[in-house]
Amino acid sequence: MTVAAIRDIVIVGGGTAGWMTAAALARFLETTRGGWRVTLVESDDIGTVGVGEATIPQIRLFNAGLGIDEDEFLRETQGSIKLGIEFDGWLRPGHRYMHAFGPTGRDLGLIGFHHYWLRGRALGDAAPFGAYSYNEAAAYAGRFMRGDNPATALPPLVHAYHFDAGLYAAYLRRYAEARGVVRFEGRIAGVTRDGMSGDIDTLILEDGATVSGQLFIDCSGFRGLLIEQTLGAGYEDWSEWLACDRAMAVPCASAGDFTPYTRSTARPAGWQWRIPLQHRTGNGYVYSSAHLSDDEAAATLLANLDGEALADPRPLRFTAGRRKAVWVKNVVAIGLSSGFLEPLESTSIHLIQSGIARLLQFLPDMRIDPVAVAEFNRLSAWEIERIRDFIILHYKATERADTPFWRRARDMAIPPELAERIALFRATGQIRRDQDELFTELAWSQVMIGQGIVPAAHHPLARLLGDDDIQGFLGTLRQAIAGAVATLPSHSDFLRSNRSQHR
Ligand SMILES: Cc1cc2nc3c(=O)[nH]c(=O)nc-3n(C[C@H](O)[C@H](O)[C@H](O)COP(=O)(O)OP(=O)(O)OC[C@H]3O[C@@H](n4cnc5c(N)ncnc54)[C@H](O)[C@@H]3O)c2cc1C
């Protein structure tokens, strides 16, 4: 018996996940020339979630891999620059800190910069940890420059984007279709399966049309049309740690203030995002329905916009967690169909990106090997669980006790691995981080320190510098950052010049 090579891939869904997958497959499989066929099915009636608007710097690697020009991308998606995320009121009302991208301070020798910062603190230097981040200083000054700044020896700013997710999907659709991906519009009403293997053979659309394939990528969103509704993969629920299960989203008119950072403001039963784009500002209140009604959430959101609301608030429901298996038989789930973590650290689009990278890495050739499927599932679970713990940290390490929501967060039991990380940092200033984990040691230290977890002591090697030397070192760093920021153009000018150069 001859076995047919697996070359026929069908993507179910045309949201951010579907079109990112289609674009990447088109780019890396040379769809039209290499014998591969990639088909995407989406339903205009069902539509997309389309609120994913903030990203992390890894998205630049994805776009670069597709050969996308950054200036064109920013114009096409009404995008803006993101240098970090501000957490306002997360430790306590009135307090704020930033998880900024890029380095903080400068490591000297074997130990991380935060040990020198701790030493400076012990000597009476009151500057916060974030004062040593070039990214943070530029973000608060509303400035940005791409690449090297000739006026400073500091490394370049590290950036991600805010963008209109609907425009990004449309842009990637043009990209993918130009490279051979075929799109079908219509609602999938059923599937046929192979009687022996249980694999999915064919999608049946409402109008009777059929789409067949050998490998199916389920990008159908929360419903998990194939992975859950057809194959029953199961869902691991994380709401004991991440109680928010609703969001109310609304765009508002731009205040003309294109702050190059995302803001997350703690609210009585969750938090509110603010994401400035060129043509509007995206806003949303992520909250726990056990602590707040939808009407109250909408009222709070509308009362806290910096411009006129451009639509009615739109409710979204979700459950934090992950699909127990994201690859089952000949179906791989990517995007919301694979699991969900609230957008506190803008990680969903990144999880799509890494899901695609893993799919390419494990792409089957003649047959789907159960050993590869098991490893794919293990890696996917490991990745999202590490990100989950990073998000739980923001809730657990709060001093807020002003509402039942925050008291619950502060007092909840957390996954043991996270508890160990916190205890280690508190006692020694050491960060436990697994290889290949998304968030770096610096990201962990920024959020731990920002959330009030300050190590009891610095590392003894930080005493190799004398008292005056350490104060001089810290002061010089602050001056270098302030001097560099003063030479940067404004973020608004950066966007304006990008628009005007291409009229
Ligand atoms: C409140 C909220 C805020 C978010 N903010 C961010 C953020 O700031 N940053 C970030 O990285 N991520 C964010 N996300 C996540 C982000 O929105 C998603 O990761 C992203 O939109 C991908 O969605 P998707 O493509 O998996 O699903 P969807 O957008 O839901 O697309 C599903 C697709 O499947 C199709 N489909 C479904 N059923 C059928 C059927 N029967 N027949 C045919 N087609 C079908 C639909 O038509 C649609 O095209 C946020 C999510 C939420 C809920």
Side-chain angles (χ1 to χ4, degrees):
M1 186 179 88
T2 53
V3 182
I6 296 172
R7 296 289 180 269
D8 217 339
I9 303 181
V10 178
I11 299 167
V12 173
T16 315
W19 285 113
M20 282 178 75
T21 306
L25 290 177
R27 168 75 180 81
F28 292 107
L29 300 182
E30 298 184 8
T31 309
T32 48
R33 281 175 286 148
W36 296 90
R37 204 169 59 163
V38 178
T39 311
L40 183 145
V41 185
E42 65 176 317
S43 158
D44 290 344
D45 284 351
I46 295 176
T48 63
V49 165
V51 283
E53 298 184 327
T55 58
I56 56 175
Q58 283 81 348
I59 184 83
R60 288 166 50 213
L61 295 175
F62 183 81
N63 283 354
L66 297 185
I68 289 174
D69 172 72
E70 182 173 78
D71 287 342
E72 178 182 292
F73 160 80
L74 287 169
R75 284 193 304 277
E76 293 286 336
T77 63
Q78 295 283 347
S80 66
I81 297 295
K82 171 176 172 184
L83 298 173
I85 309 176
E86 180 190 66
F87 293 95
D88 183 348
W90 276 77
L91 176 59
R92 66 181 96 87
H95 176 271
R96 68 176 188 177
Y97 72 95
M98 187 175 284
H99 168 193
F101 309 135
T104 295
R106 193 150 61 84
D107 291 355
L108 293 178
L110 292 172
I111 53 173
F113 171 76
H114 62 276
H115 291 285
Y116 297 98
W117 172 75
L118 286 168
R119 170 102 195 281
R121 243 168 81 105
L123 294 171
D125 191 327
F129 191 51
Y132 300 93
S133 161
Y134 180 28
N135 257 60
E136 177 171 327
Y140 281 137
R143 292 169 184 249
F144 177 68
M145 179 187 287
R146 184 166 43 202
D148 284 326
N149 176 355
T152 174
L154 292 173
L157 294 166
V158 176
H159 67 282
Y161 314 112
H162 304 124
F163 57 69
D164 181 321
L167 294 177
Y168 186 49
Y171 180 67
L172 293 180
R173 175 181 164 187
R174 291 194 294 280
Y175 178 102
E177 288 187 317
R179 286 163 180 79
V181 173
V182 175
R183 170 184 182 264
F184 278 80
E185 198 285 314
R187 186 187 280 254
I188 299 160
V191 301
T192 65
R193 295 173 67 178
D194 181 277
M196 294 282 283
S197 66
D199 281 358
I200 292 181
D201 284 330
T202 307
L203 307 176
I204 304 165
L205 275 54
E206 252 175 11
D207 65 2
T210 57
V211 180
S212 300
Q214 296 162 296
L215 181 66
F216 289 80
I217 315 300
D218 186 344
C219 299
S220 64
F222 287 126
R223 54 178 53 78
L225 190 69
L226 303 183
I227 196 80
E228 190 63 57
Q229 293 185 1
T230 309
L231 296 173
Y235 197 73
E236 192 174 297
D237 182 331
W238 292 337
S239 38
E240 66 179 292
W241 302 304
L242 297 169
C244 290
D245 58 354
R246 298 270 202 287
M248 202 56 83
V250 73
C252 76
S254 168
D257 184 13
F258 299 124
T259 47
Y261 59 92
T262 307
R263 179 176 301 138
S264 161
T265 305
R267 297 272 178 241
W271 58 278
Q272 180 172 339
W273 78 74
R274 175 184 180 275
I275 298 178
L277 308 179
Q278 293 186 41
H279 60 323
R280 60 172 167 77
T281 299
N283 309 276
Y285 187 174
V286 175
Y287 59 99
S288 155
S289 63
H291 297 92
L292 195 74
S293 73
D294 294 349
D295 288 347
E296 287 169 311
T300 303
L301 178 63
L302 291 172
N304 288 287
L305 302 178
D306 39 57
E308 180 201 346
L310 299 176
D312 290 332
R314 180 175 157 223
L316 294 135
R317 292 171 173 224
F318 46 80
T319 304
R322 70 170 178 89
R323 203 65 68 196
K324 285 183 178 159
V326 291
W327 189 331
V328 180
K329 299 194 180 290
N330 63 339
V331 172
V332 181
I334 292 184
L336 297 174
S337 60
S338 67
F340 185 72
L341 286 170
E342 61 187 73
L344 188 60
E345 286 281 353
S346 315
T347 44
S348 282
I349 292 176
H350 175 74
L351 283 166
I352 295 172
Q353 176 179 343
S354 64
I356 293 169
R358 200 170 298 123
L359 172 66
L360 288 169
Q361 188 189 345
F362 284 83
L363 198 68
D365 184 14
M366 301 306 286
R367 59 187 282 270
I368 294 172
D369 199 313
V371 188
V373 171
E375 181 62 1
F376 188 96
N377 283 326
R378 186 188 72 79
L379 289 170
S380 306
W382 182 86
E383 179 183 41
I384 194 170
E385 282 170 12
R386 301 289 75 71
I387 299 174
R388 173 201 68 191
D389 286 0
F390 190 59
I391 294 176
I392 296 171
L393 168 66
H394 299 65
Y395 285 103
K396 175 66 183 172
T398 187
E399 289 174 4
R400 293 190 75 116
D402 49 330
T403 64
F405 174 84
W406 287 103
R407 282 196 292 279
R408 178 195 179 279
R410 188 198 56 184
D411 297 340
M412 70 182 163
I414 53 175
E417 222 176 280
L418 175 60
E420 285 160 21
R421 280 192 211 238
I422 294 174
L424 180 68
F425 187 70
R426 209 188 283 283
T428 68
Q430 298 300 317
I431 311 250
R432 172 168 147 193
R433 178 176 179 267
D434 293 326
Q435 210 189 354
D436 292 340
E437 192 176 322
L438 174 61
F439 289 106
T440 60
E441 291 187 8
L442 180 58
W444 280 94
S445 64
Q446 286 183 78
V447 174
M448 290 216 244
I449 291 169
Q451 293 285 153
I453 303 171
V454 178
H458 54 262
H459 194 282
L461 288 180
R463 285 196 292 276
L464 290 181
L465 286 186
D467 292 359
D468 290 346
D469 291 341
I470 195 92
Q471 284 169 326
F473 170 59
L474 294 174
T476 307
L477 278 175
R478 289 199 300 264
Q479 271 170 16
I481 289 170
V485 169
T487 65
L488 295 172
S490 79
H491 176 228
S492 302
D493 284 348
F494 169 82
L495 295 176
R496 203 171 301 122
S497 108
N498 181 24
R499 277 196 308 270
S500 61
Q501 273 167 25
H502 295 83
R503 284 236 165 86

